[in-house]
């Protein structure tokens, strides 16, 4: 089983590159952002709690996202591997993921981390906000709060995988195809 984490700050291209990667490698895409937005769209109690936090640019509690990932892993027993997009976002989530995978005799093979300057992140997210209908993309203050959450809580997740020599850093600025090619080089090197 090949399990990959696509890592990076909000707006770094995780969702964009995930779509291309799952097509090329046949991995099952697990995006906690998409799972949460689907709960919001269905007006579930979990969705209402999540929306409140996401609209402020804050992370949703660990137990909520870990529970979602756990059910998604169980519902996809045939998957030949998973692409984790936007998860793990805290060290507690990273430790929980390791334990969930261990139960399936699996592990994270590689974390690819997209690096993008803060000005570019803000520019991209505000542009997406013009059309996406995502309330967390329309307000610059909320976007900046998401970037602060990333530095305070999420950046440390890369250190966690770094200890196991599993992190590769990719420049996340350039054309979508250039970045995709750089990601594929790292993934192919890890698969072979
Ligand atoms: P996510 O849905 O994960 O959203 P994101 O990080 O903002 O988006 P992503 O990084 O995938 O966007 P992309 O660059 O593809 O999270 C949303 C919220 O959900 C979080 O703030 C949090 O509240 C909550 N949440 C999610 N997971 C959680 C977890 N595990 N724990 C706790 N809370 C969690 O796209 C950005 C834009 O850039 C697009 O418009 C795209 O077209 C553009 N773009 C992409 N690549 C480009 C390039 N090379 N050049 C120019 N533009 C590019």
């Amino acid at each position: 089983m090949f399990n990959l984490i696509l890592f990076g700050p909000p707006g770094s291209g995780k969702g964009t590159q995930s779509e291309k990667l799952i097509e090329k490698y046949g991995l099952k895409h697990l995006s906690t952002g998409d799972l949460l937005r689907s709960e919001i769209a269905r007006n579930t109690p979990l969705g209402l709690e999540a929306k409140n936090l996401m609209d402020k640019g804050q992370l949703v509690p660990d137990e909520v996202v870990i529970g979602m990932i756990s059910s998604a892993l169980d519902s996809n027993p045939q998957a030949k591997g998973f692409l984790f997009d936007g998860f793990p976002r805290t060290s507690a989530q990273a430790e929980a993921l390791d334990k969930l995978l261990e139960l399936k005799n699996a592990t994270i093979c590689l974390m690819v981390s997209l690096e993008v300057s803060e000005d570019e992140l803000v520019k991209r997210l505000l542009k997406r906000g013009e059309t996406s209908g995502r309330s967390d993309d329309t307000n610059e203050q909320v976007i900046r709060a998401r970037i602060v959450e990333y530095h305070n809580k999420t950046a440390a997740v890369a250190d966690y995988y770094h200890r196991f020599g599993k992190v590769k850093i990719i420049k996340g600025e350039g054309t979508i195809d250039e970045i995709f090619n750089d990601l594929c080089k790292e993934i192919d090197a890890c698969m072979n």
Side-chain angles (χ1 to χ4, degrees):
M1 205 188 228
F2 187 82
N3 296 308
L4 174 71
I5 296 173
L6 188 51
F7 189 74
S12 55
K14 302 185 296 287
T16 305
Q17 296 294 338
S18 289
E19 283 177 29
K20 294 170 75 71
L21 291 171
I22 51 167
E23 196 185 333
K24 173 160 179 171
Y25 294 101
L27 302 172
K28 174 74 189 162
H29 184 202
L30 292 185
S31 155
T32 38
D34 288 350
L35 291 170
L36 290 166
R37 281 185 288 277
S38 141
E39 296 280 343
I40 293 172
R42 286 181 287 120
N43 268 319
T44 64
L46 192 160
L48 290 176
E49 182 193 353
K51 182 168 176 18
N52 197 12
L53 293 162
M54 288 163 79
D55 281 352
K56 290 189 271 194
Q58 293 172 4
L59 293 182
V60 172
D62 286 336
E63 56 277 19
V64 171
V65 281
I66 292 166
M68 286 190 327
I69 289 289
S70 174
S71 350
L73 291 176
D74 289 342
S75 326
N76 289 283
Q78 319 289 7
K80 66 175 204 180
F82 292 93
L83 190 169
F84 297 95
D85 161 10
F87 180 91
R89 257 178 159 98
T90 64
S91 303
Q93 292 179 21
E95 284 166 28
L97 178 60
D98 271 356
K99 289 196 185 116
L100 289 172
L101 289 175
E102 212 175 285
L103 293 173
K104 299 184 187 308
N105 288 322
T107 181
I108 290 297
C109 307
L110 176 68
M111 168 188 270
V112 270
S113 175
L114 292 168
E115 280 199 340
V116 177
S117 72
E118 182 161 336
D119 283 351
E120 174 71 11
L121 296 174
V122 174
K123 202 170 81 185
R124 285 184 190 178
L125 292 174
L126 283 172
K127 186 159 185 286
R128 181 170 69 182
E130 290 169 10
T131 52
S132 67
R134 278 180 57 171
S135 46
D136 59 346
D137 281 347
T138 43
N139 178 322
E140 182 165 342
Q141 240 180 323
V142 172
I143 291 173
R144 299 239 177 233
R146 287 160 63 191
I147 296 172
V148 169
E149 281 280 82
Y150 172 80
H151 289 300
N152 287 345
K153 299 179 182 164
T154 305
V157 174
D159 300 336
Y160 176 86
Y161 290 101
H162 213 66
R163 280 192 273 148
F164 306 103
K166 291 184 177 176
V167 183
K168 295 288 174 191
I169 293 169
I170 306 280
K171 186 166 168 281
E173 293 184 48
T175 69
I176 288 171
D177 285 339
E178 280 164 356
I179 298 162
F180 179 65
N181 284 338
D182 289 345
L183 287 168
C184 292
K185 274 187 211 150
E186 292 297 350
I187 295 168
D188 292 343
C190 192
M191 278 179 160
N192 296 321

